[in-house]
Amino acid sequence: MNILGICILAGVVVLVAGAVYITKMVIEAKAKMAALVSAKKNQPVVLPLRLQAYERMALFLERIDPNQLVMRIHAPGLTVSQEQNLLLTAIRSEFEHNISQQIYLSDTVWQKVCEAKSDIESIINTVAADYDKNAESREFAETVLAVTAQKPVVELAIQILKADMQKWAY
């Protein structure tokens, strides 16, 4: 083959490669545009669900806040073991009731909610370990409240929740 034939062949290859690349870019741009149109069309449905999920997570965090939880659960005559079990059961029940909301939350918020839940459970278990399981639970409950006052787990999670929600609401 002569030089002219090689040059023509190289030119054809370059033109075909360019056409393939441009076609690929056009297809990708159309797919992105279709996704944006679909997202915009679904926004009136999804946005309220997303905001509702943030509201439910705020309520969940408030309900598992030991200040609220201990006041709801504590009763005279409970042992440390009984109150510990009631507190942990209430937290898990609340969590299970709201677990489906994670699909509407950002990964960061969901992780922070899970961390807050785990931290509160850990505080309850750590404090309970310092008490006789059969002792009356009043002092245990007071200690749980004192420890959580020093470590505002729920408040920090709610701040992150609010900040993230602002991205979707406005």
Side-chain angles (χ1 to χ4, degrees):
M1 209 182 226
N2 63 19
I3 300 254
L4 181 60
I6 292 172
C7 288
I8 291 173
L9 183 61
V12 169
V13 168
V14 168
L15 285 174
V16 169
V20 167
Y21 177 75
I22 290 172
T23 303
K24 178 183 174 208
M25 296 303 287
V26 168
I27 290 171
E28 287 176 358
K30 284 183 179 182
K32 285 180 183 177
M33 184 61 76
L36 286 173
V37 167
S38 177
K40 185 163 178 84
K41 189 170 93 176
N42 291 332
Q43 188 174 11
V45 174
V46 174
L47 183 61
L49 292 172
R50 183 167 289 202
L51 294 176
Q52 182 183 30
Y54 279 82
E55 289 172 4
R56 287 189 56 186
M57 283 300 104
L59 181 59
F60 164 73
L61 290 166
E62 288 293 338
R63 288 187 59 82
I64 68 166
D65 183 339
N67 291 314
Q68 303 298 321
L69 189 60
V70 169
M71 296 304 172
R72 257 191 347 268
I73 301 295
H74 182 74
L78 290 176
T79 65
V80 169
S81 180
Q82 290 170 328
E83 185 150 350
Q84 176 189 16
N85 287 333
L86 288 171
L87 292 171
L88 294 174
T89 299
I91 291 169
R92 290 178 187 128
S93 174
E94 289 285 341
F95 185 75
E96 289 169 5
H97 180 72
N98 289 292
I99 198 165
S100 66
Q101 298 307 306
Q102 69 180 297
I103 63 174
Y104 297 110
L105 303 175
S106 71
D107 291 340
T108 303
V109 167
W110 181 247
Q111 180 181 357
K112 192 49 134 174
V113 167
C114 291
E115 284 175 16
K117 173 193 167 284
S118 294
D119 287 349
I120 292 167
E121 290 171 330
S122 179
I123 289 168
I124 291 167
N125 289 329
T126 302
V127 171
D130 292 338
Y131 286 90
D132 176 3
K133 299 292 180 195
N134 296 315
E136 203 272 319
S137 66
R138 185 187 54 75
E139 192 176 320
F140 162 73
E142 291 172 357
T143 305
V144 168
L145 294 176
V147 170
T148 55
Q150 294 174 357
K151 188 176 180 185
V153 174
V154 169
E155 290 83 2
L156 294 173
I158 288 176
Q159 286 174 1
I160 290 170
L161 182 84
K162 285 179 180 178
D164 198 67
M165 190 263 323
Q166 297 297 323
K167 295 176 194 172
W168 301 106
Y170 304 106

